[in-house]
């Protein structure tokens, strides 16, 4: 029988409300972007399968359904996550200053060994508040890779998930 995939990884997106988590997932899985707010789609996760060399890597991408607004993300959301995508908005400094709180949640619920990546989203914004080097420094201090992305113009969206898939496959 033919196997559908060689690897399956659960990827979990977190970060303040409004940073663009849902937009990143929609851009990646559906290739679309909308500047009107994106409502909850009522599913727990999206699926995308990538071909990396000879292996089919299936990504199960979990997006919050707005729970982050009320700080009600629970342990079950993080359960058996292979990677955490921690997102802030480069044009909203509060979302950057809140990163330590999110990291504390990750340690509490997902443990220390889970792979983590830091994402500064909305790199297309002309009204930047957080410089690239600040994101890089925070990521370095916390042992994470770092990328700036834009769900609006697609910058680094494919690269983000490809990098994650490769790293997880090779781990
Ligand atoms: P979430 O609450 O983290 O899921 O954020 P959303 O994906 O709902 O996005 C919140 C708002 O930011 C929406 O109005 C999006 O259109 C906008 N947005 C998301 N990503 C980007 C981006 O890369 N660039 C710009 N300029 N706006 C974005
Ligand atoms: Mg959302």
């Amino acid at each position: 029988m033919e196997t559908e995939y060689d690897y399956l990884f659960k990827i979990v997106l977190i970060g303040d409300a409004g940073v663009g988590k849902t937009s990143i997932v929609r851009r990646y899985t559906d290739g679309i972007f909308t500047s009107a707010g994106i409502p909850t789609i009522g599913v727990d996760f999206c699926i995308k399968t990538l071909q990396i060399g000879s292996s089919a890597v299936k990504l199960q991408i979990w997006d919050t359904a707005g729970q982050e607004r009320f700080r009600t993300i629970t342990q079950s959301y993080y359960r058996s996550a292979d990677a955490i995508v921690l997102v802030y908005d480069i044009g909203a400094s509060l979302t950057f200053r809140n990163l330590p709180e999110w990291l504390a949640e990750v340690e509490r619920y997902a443990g220390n060994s889970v792979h983590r990546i830091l994402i500064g989203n909305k790199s297309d914004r002309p009204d930047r508040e957080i410089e690239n080097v600040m994101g890089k420094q925070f990521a370095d201090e916390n042992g994470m890779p770092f990328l700036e992305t834009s769900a609006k113009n697609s910058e680094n969206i494919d690269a983000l998930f490809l990098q994650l898939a490769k790293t997880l496959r090779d781990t």
Side-chain angles (χ1 to χ4, degrees):
M1 214 168 72
E2 207 180 334
T3 330
E4 198 190 341
Y5 55 84
D6 303 299
Y7 299 91
L8 171 64
F9 299 118
K10 176 178 175 180
I11 293 173
V12 163
L13 279 87
I14 57 169
D16 284 4
V19 297
K21 299 179 297 298
T22 302
S23 298
I24 289 170
V25 176
R26 296 301 287 280
R27 167 59 83 191
Y28 184 60
T29 59
D30 301 337
I32 57 161
F33 175 79
T34 160
S35 51
I38 301 164
T40 307
I41 34 179
V43 297
D44 294 328
F45 56 81
C46 293
I47 292 282
K48 180 119 170 179
T49 304
L50 296 82
Q51 192 67 34
I52 304 178
S54 58
S55 40
V57 180
K58 187 169 177 174
L59 301 181
Q60 196 186 65
I61 306 169
W62 290 63
D63 180 23
T64 63
Q67 303 99 318
E68 75 277 27
R69 232 169 267 276
F70 310 102
R71 291 241 159 218
T72 51
I73 294 182
T74 55
Q75 186 157 15
S76 60
Y77 180 68
Y78 293 93
R79 189 165 294 138
S80 59
D82 295 292
I84 307 280
V85 180
L86 177 52
V87 187
Y88 67 94
D89 174 350
I90 65 120
S93 60
L94 180 61
T95 69
F96 182 75
R97 292 200 304 274
N98 282 337
L99 290 176
E101 284 187 47
W102 284 110
L103 276 184
E105 291 242 315
V106 170
E107 274 183 34
R108 182 160 160 235
Y109 289 140
N112 291 322
S113 58
V114 68
H115 182 71
R116 303 165 307 166
I117 184 168
L118 181 67
I119 297 298
N121 188 44
K122 310 197 189 182
S123 60
D124 61 278
R125 277 183 75 157
D127 54 342
R128 175 189 288 271
E129 292 182 355
I130 302 298
E131 293 304 324
N132 184 292
V133 291
M134 294 174 68
K136 179 81 175 78
Q137 186 183 349
F138 184 86
D140 285 347
E141 285 168 2
N142 290 279
M144 295 183 273
F146 169 66
L147 281 176
E148 282 193 353
T149 61
S150 168
K152 187 173 182 178
N153 70 17
S154 298
E155 185 190 12
N156 275 340
I157 298 292
D158 284 351
L160 158 62
F161 291 99
L162 182 59
Q163 180 175 322
L164 267 180
K166 279 184 177 164
T167 302
L168 292 172
R169 184 199 56 173
D170 297 337
T171 305

